[in-house]
Amino acid sequence: MAASVAAMRIGLLGTGNVARALAQGWSAAGHDVLLGSRRPRDRADLGLPVAGLDETAAHAEVLVNATPGTVSLVLLRSLGAEALAGTLLIDVGVGLSDDYSELSHPNSSLAEQIQAAFPATPVVKTLCTMDSTVMTAPDDLSGPTTVFLSGDDAEAKRTTGRLLTDLGWPPSSQLDIGGITTARGQEHFALLFMGIAGGLGTHVFNVHVVARPAG
């Protein structure tokens, strides 16, 4: 699959299922991906390029926060505001308790807190309403499906939308729901996600927004 934008340098903070799935998807579309880890030597067996966090941030035109939402702010602050200034940050993290029953940002969202902490870094929230297996294979589901975007910077959302297209999400599946405060809805969906997963007996699903026909 050819990339919808010129090949970009994408740094992904984290080496878990989400980071690896996104890295593989964007790499297949022709982008230059690099996973960031605190211990890159311990993650050399992933079949993907891995570097330290500082090197990953310096490499990136687009940085993706794929770390657990409970530690994301601490990790980003360790990189420093200067290192992140002007770099689009796509946040896919959600802060959940160890038993997945409570949100760590119940009256806000991780994305809002990142944007407040790094005002010179445009933050876009997306892809946090689904399992990693769906993020890069929406066509594997049995019908149309929706991915949401939240953020205050219009150009950052346009770039994010094009990168989502490279993962298999056509513009018709993308729904811009507004500014960064709307990330609360995306993150808080995690509790409903867990309930749906229990009801279905699987995490491989997504939602589709259906509107009344115009006219």
Side-chain angles (χ1 to χ4, degrees), residues 10-204:
I10 303 175
L12 299 104
L13 302 176
T15 57
N17 291 339
V18 170
R20 296 198 307 271
L22 293 176
Q24 289 166 351
W26 279 317
S27 178
H31 296 289
D32 177 5
V33 302
L34 183 63
L35 294 173
S37 171
R38 289 191 179 97
R39 297 177 296 276
R41 291 184 180 179
D42 295 342
R43 307 298 283 163
D45 60 343
L46 297 180
L48 291 161
V50 184
L53 298 173
D54 290 336
E55 182 180 344
T56 300
H59 167 86
E61 296 173 88
V62 176
L63 199 59
V64 180
N65 174 44
T67 63
T70 51
V71 302
S72 296
L73 270 171
V74 172
L75 184 146
L76 290 168
R77 286 189 173 117
S78 74
L79 295 174
E82 185 176 350
L84 304 181
T87 300
L88 164 58
L89 192 149
I90 298 174
D91 175 36
V92 301
V94 177
L96 284 167
S97 59
D98 290 342
D99 63 359
Y100 301 107
S101 65
E102 296 182 2
L103 293 162
S104 58
H105 308 91
N107 300 309
S108 179
S109 67
L110 172 63
E112 287 175 89
Q113 294 190 14
I114 293 173
Q115 187 62 90
F118 302 94
T121 300
V123 177
V124 178
K125 189 80 185 189
T126 192
L127 289 171
C128 71
T129 54
M130 64 195 75
D131 185 73
S132 60
T133 55
V134 176
M135 292 177 183
T136 58
D139 288 344
D140 287 353
L141 300 179
S142 61
T145 185
T146 304
V147 63
F148 305 99
L149 297 95
S150 302
D152 295 333
D153 188 294
E155 182 57 33
K157 283 196 281 191
R158 281 191 288 270
T159 299
T160 301
R162 291 192 290 268
L163 291 173
L164 289 174
T165 300
D166 292 343
L167 296 177
W169 298 91
S172 59
S173 293
Q174 301 175 26
L175 184 58
D176 181 345
I177 59 174
I180 199 66
T181 57
T182 65
R184 297 181 191 189
Q186 293 198 56
E187 294 184 24
H188 290 201
F189 178 78
L191 300 179
L192 180 57
F193 178 94
M194 298 306 299
I196 295 172
L200 292 177
T202 178
H203 290 86
V204 186

